[in-house]
Amino acid sequence: MLLDIPLAGLGWSLPCDIWSVGCILVELCSGEALFQTHENLEHLAMMERVLGPVPEHMIRKASSSAQKYFRRGTRLNWPEGAVTRESIRAVRKLHRLKDLVARNADHSKASLADLLYGLLRFEPSERLTAQEALDHPFFRIPGPT
C-alpha cells in the first residue's frame, strides 16, 4: 500500500486503514487479493493499472529513495524498470477497478465501484472517512430479493 510503506516516504496515517478496507472489499468481491506482490515497483504499477496514475504532486513529495521508481519525477518507470517478464504479465492481467467490479459483483455495481474509488484514492486527504464510507449509498441499496 503506497502510503503506509516507506516507498513513497509519506508515512502512515489513519487513511491508510481506509485504503486497507478498500483492498479487503475488492478481495471479498473478486475472491483474490487486489495487489499480489512484494516488489515495490510492481506494486506501484499494479496500483496505476487498477486505479490510474499516481498524482504528480505525490510523486514530487516522495522521498529521495522512492524517486528511483519514477522517471523525471512525474511518471512511473514502468515497464522499463520491471525486474522480470512475469512481473510485466502480472500487471497487464489486472483490470481497471470499475471493470473488476463489473466482472465480479452481482448487483449495485456502479455504487460499489464509486465506494471503492472513494476508499482507494491515492491522496489520503481525499479518501472517504470511515463515517463517509458507512454513509455511502452502497450500504443503503437493498440487495436482490
Side-chain angles (χ1 to χ4, degrees):
M1 293 174 208
L2 176 66
L3 301 171
D4 64 348
I5 58 175
L7 172 62
L10 299 175
W12 179 90
S13 62
L14 186 58
C16 290
D17 290 340
I18 297 299
W19 175 276
S20 297
V21 169
C23 291
I24 291 166
L25 288 175
V26 171
E27 185 172 347
L28 290 172
C29 175
S30 70
E32 295 184 11
L34 184 54
F35 305 118
Q36 297 184 47
T37 183
H38 295 286
E39 200 277 313
N40 289 336
L41 180 59
E42 182 180 320
H43 192 174
L44 285 166
M46 288 178 164
M47 291 165 65
E48 283 200 340
R49 177 81 173 185
V50 172
L51 301 168
V54 175
E56 283 188 35
H57 74 275
M58 293 185 76
I59 295 170
R60 286 191 299 272
K61 288 192 306 188
S63 68
S64 57
S65 63
Q67 290 300 319
K68 65 185 173 189
Y69 301 114
F70 301 96
R71 274 190 284 195
R72 288 175 247 122
T74 60
R75 188 172 167 275
L76 193 62
N77 186 25
W78 187 266
E80 299 80 8
V83 178
T84 65
R85 288 190 186 276
E86 284 110 26
S87 179
I88 294 170
R89 280 192 292 275
V91 171
R92 286 190 178 148
K93 77 174 187 173
L94 293 174
H95 300 281
R96 300 285 300 173
L97 183 60
K98 65 180 173 63
D99 297 330
L100 192 153
V101 170
R103 294 169 66 112
N104 293 288
D106 290 333
H107 64 90
S108 308
K109 295 175 185 185
S111 185
L112 177 57
D114 183 68
L115 171 64
L116 291 171
Y117 276 115
L119 298 172
L120 296 172
R121 292 190 187 274
F122 284 112
E123 179 61 61
S125 65
E126 295 175 5
R127 268 184 223 140
L128 294 175
T129 65
Q131 189 60 57
E132 290 168 338
L134 289 171
D135 291 338
H136 190 277
F138 174 76
F139 293 113
R140 292 194 302 267
I141 296 173
T145 55

